[in-house]
């Protein structure tokens, strides 16, 4: 039997209202949440999974075990959306905007969160990570009921997740795993749905129900496609692309081409270039915001925290940005390092790392890695990491033409800092973070 179907825009509006009502009335909620860096992959993984699972629950007689609506939660405050220009670019293709996102700000304040959103009233599905971090992890880790992720297994999700997935596999993009898991349900929705009329209220001029459904499919497919292409460099990164990614992209392109208007206009390379350009547009941001734009943090052992910022510009760009912001550094020392120190100390980090990705003058991908042990107890861990990672990551001494060497200390003063060129450019934070955490454990 055909059932009504909502557009992505309408679904997100409904999900936000349901979350607010559930908090107000102590009702049950199922939350789908990406990692705290809230990169494009985490965003789209949570939205795609929640949208398809919620729509699928309405089209079958078998009710899910907890709630029928899955709420995609973007793991940042609403104010931090401005740090991610790629969001806005992708949203235009999916007929949504930033106001539709459900963010950390839609939860109660930290001080009243446990009282107003009781753990027993929640179920959490993790995407693009498999361990819930930060204060949400402290409060709700025991309520995790499913996962789809492509990072190293951390054994924080129960082995038995019932009707929810427990998928932790290597892929270039987590969204690929989500799409492949949901594709059967997605196809069922596409074939059986009728327009609910929501599209017309949103300015959609298509009058035929099947055409509306195909248009909605194309919009959702573009949202998913964006993350996969960004994370795999348009399927050209040999070290990242897996069969999961290829299969997902082929499926999504079929969804896009099923909509006549989108089939005529869609060009995958142009689409990738548009989003990739937007992602790299960070020149208007202050250095502090650049560092927190794509930032992840872990408590490793005995309250020793590790933080890693991923940046799509070279260290020289960050140094120049620091000089622009602090042309005369009253605190003494190099402005770049002063800002890094402040950023790390404010977060209580024992170790801080920056990973950069950029393109050389010759068009080749290049990476840099800065590691800074900020406490005496982290110095030995940093040295251990260096000894074990030199070969695996292809680390080579770094030196700037203008600033010279940023290396500092042998640990006697309680700090230690090294900067390298990373020749194994296929190794991202997904591979580097486990090495640093292992050294700190």
């Amino acid at each position: 039997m055909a059932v009504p179907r909502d557009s992505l825009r309408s679904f997100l509006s409904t999900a936000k209202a349901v979350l607010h009502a559930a908090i107000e009335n102590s009702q049950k909620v199922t939350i789908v949440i990406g990692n705290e860096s809230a990169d494009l992959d985490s965003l789209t993984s949570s939205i795609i999974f929640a949208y398809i699972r919620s729509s699928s629950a309405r089209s079958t007689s078998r009710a899910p075990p907890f709630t029928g609506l899955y709420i995609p939660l973007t793991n940042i405050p609403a104010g931090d959306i401005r740090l991610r220009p790629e969001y806005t670019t992708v949203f235009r293709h999916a007929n949504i905007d930033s106001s539709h996102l459900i963010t950390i700000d839609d939860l109660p304040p930290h001080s009243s969160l446990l009282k107003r959103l009781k753990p027993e009233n929640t179920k959490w599905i993790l995407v693009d990570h498999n361990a819930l971090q930060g204060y949400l992890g402290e409060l709700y880790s025991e309520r995790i009921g499913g996962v789809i992720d492509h990072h190293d297994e951390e054994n924080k999700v129960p082995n038995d997740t019932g009707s929810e997935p427990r998928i932790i596999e290597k892929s270039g993009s987590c969204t690929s795993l989500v799409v492949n898991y949901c594709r059967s349900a997605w196809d069922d929705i596409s074939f059986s749905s009728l327009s609910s009329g929501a599209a017309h209220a949103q300015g959609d001029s298509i009058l035929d129900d099947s055409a509306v459904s195909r248009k909605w499919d194309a919009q959702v497919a573009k949202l998913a496609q964006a993350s996969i292409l960004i994370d795999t460099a348009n399927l050209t990164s040999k070290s990242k692309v897996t069969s999961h990614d290829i299969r997902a992209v082929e499926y999504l392109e079929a969804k896009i081409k099923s909509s006549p208007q989108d089939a005529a206009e869609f060009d995958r390379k142009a689409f990738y270039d548009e989003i990739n350009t937007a992602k790299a547009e960070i020149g208007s941001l202050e250095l502090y915001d650049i560092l927190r734009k794509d930032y992840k943090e872990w408590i490793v052992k005995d309250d020793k925290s590790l933080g890693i910022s991923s940046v799509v510009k070279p260290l020289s760009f960050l140094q120049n940005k620091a000089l622009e912001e602090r042309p005369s550094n009253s605190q003494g020392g190099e402005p770049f390092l002063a800002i890094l120190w402040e950023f790390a100390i404010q977060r209580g980090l024992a170790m801080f790392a920056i990973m950069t990705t950029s393109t050389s003058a010759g068009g080749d991908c290049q990476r840099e890695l800065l590691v800074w042990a900020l406490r005496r107890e982290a110095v030995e861990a940093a040295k251990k990491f260096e000894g074990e990672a030199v070969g695996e990551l292809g680390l080579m001494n770094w030196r700037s033409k203008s600033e010279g060497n940023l290396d500092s200390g042998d640990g006697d003063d309680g700090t230690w800092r090294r900067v390298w060129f990373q020749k194994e450019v296929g190794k991202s934070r997904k591979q580097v973070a486990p090495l640093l955490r292992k050294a700190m454990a």
Side-chain angles (χ1 to χ4, degrees), residues 351-365:
M351 191 180 299
F352 178 50
I354 297 177
M355 299 188 65
T356 74
T357 307
S358 57
T359 303
S360 70
D364 297 321
C365 178

Side-chain angles (χ1 to χ4, degrees), residues 51-229:
Y51 177 65
I52 300 300
R53 290 288 275 174
S54 297
S55 300
S56 177
R58 289 190 302 176
S59 65
T60 63
S61 59
R62 182 177 62 85
F66 205 71
T67 63
L69 186 75
Y70 293 70
I71 298 170
L73 181 65
T74 303
N75 203 350
I76 52 171
D80 284 359
I81 293 173
R82 68 177 180 82
L83 306 181
R84 296 158 175 82
E86 64 272 23
Y87 275 20
T88 304
T89 300
V90 175
F91 290 168
R92 287 197 295 267
H93 293 276
N95 192 32
I96 59 176
D97 57 52
S98 297
S99 68
H100 293 107
L101 291 187
I102 304 162
T103 71
I104 294 297
D105 290 345
D106 289 293
L107 298 179
H110 192 185
S111 59
S112 62
L113 180 57
L114 195 59
K115 180 180 179 181
R116 299 181 61 196
L117 188 63
K118 295 180 174 62
E120 61 268 25
N121 283 342
T122 68
K123 185 174 187 177
W124 298 73
I125 310 297
L126 307 185
V127 290
D128 203 23
H129 60 154
N130 62 88
L132 192 58
Q133 301 288 338
Y135 72 93
L136 291 178
E138 294 174 3
L139 299 178
Y140 300 106
S141 284
E142 297 301 315
R143 301 299 300 172
I144 296 173
V147 62
I148 299 182
D149 186 32
H150 63 153
H151 295 89
D152 287 351
E153 169 74 73
E154 298 195 39
N155 297 306
K156 300 295 185 181
V157 180
N159 289 326
D160 184 2
T161 54
S163 62
E164 302 298 349
R166 193 189 193 286
I167 299 171
I168 301 176
E169 296 183 18
K170 180 183 178 182
S171 64
S173 170
C174 181
T175 303
S176 297
L177 298 177
V178 171
V179 168
N180 292 332
Y181 174 78
C182 292
R183 61 189 294 166
S184 178
W186 192 346
D187 285 340
D188 289 343
I189 296 163
S190 298
F191 292 140
S192 67
S193 65
L194 291 172
S195 168
S196 66
H200 310 311
Q202 295 162 14
D204 197 320
S205 61
I206 301 173
L207 299 179
D208 177 69
D209 285 340
S210 63
V212 171
S213 184
R214 288 196 297 268
K215 180 68 176 178
W216 288 349
D217 277 342
Q219 291 169 350
V220 177
K222 288 179 186 178
L223 185 72
Q225 185 90 298
S227 293
I228 303 173
L229 298 183

Side-chain angles (χ1 to χ4, degrees), residues 82 281-286 290 317 321:
R82 68 177 180 82
E281 290 177 352
I282 61 174
S284 62
L285 301 178
E286 293 186 352
I290 292 172
F317 174 90
K321 173 68 69 172

Side-chain angles (χ1 to χ4, degrees), residues 281-298:
E281 290 177 352
I282 61 174
S284 62
L285 301 178
E286 293 186 352
L287 178 54
Y288 191 91
D289 287 336
I290 292 172
L291 295 176
R292 69 188 183 93
K293 177 181 185 291
D294 191 355
Y295 172 78
K296 295 185 71 174
E297 184 175 316
W298 300 263

Side-chain angles (χ1 to χ4, degrees), residues 253-307:
E253 289 199 356
K255 288 289 187 187
I256 295 169
K257 292 178 180 178
S258 72
S259 170
Q261 179 182 354
D262 294 275
E265 298 174 351
F266 184 73
D267 178 276
R268 193 176 83 192
K269 184 179 185 306
F271 182 62
Y272 165 74
D273 288 342
E274 179 187 8
I275 300 162
N276 196 42
T277 298
K279 183 181 178 183
E281 290 177 352
I282 61 174
S284 62
L285 301 178
E286 293 186 352
L287 178 54
Y288 191 91
D289 287 336
I290 292 172
L291 295 176
R292 69 188 183 93
K293 177 181 185 291
D294 191 355
Y295 172 78
K296 295 185 71 174
E297 184 175 316
W298 300 263
I299 297 177
V300 181
K301 184 181 180 182
D302 300 330
D303 290 331
K304 288 191 296 185
S305 295
L306 165 69

Side-chain angles (χ1 to χ4, degrees), residues 297-353:
E297 184 175 316
W298 300 263
I299 297 177
V300 181
K301 184 181 180 182
D302 300 330
D303 290 331
K304 288 191 296 185
S305 295
L306 165 69
I308 305 179
S309 294
S310 292
V311 182
V312 292
K313 295 288 186 181
L315 287 174
S316 59
F317 174 90
L318 303 184
Q319 289 177 301
N320 290 333
K321 173 68 69 172
L323 287 170
E324 292 173 4
E325 295 173 11
R326 298 186 182 179
S328 58
N329 186 12
S330 59
Q331 297 178 356
E334 206 266 333
F336 172 61
L337 296 177
I339 294 174
L340 263 57
W341 175 267
E342 293 164 11
F343 181 88
I345 294 302
Q346 285 178 7
R347 285 161 174 75
L349 300 180
M351 191 180 299
F352 178 50

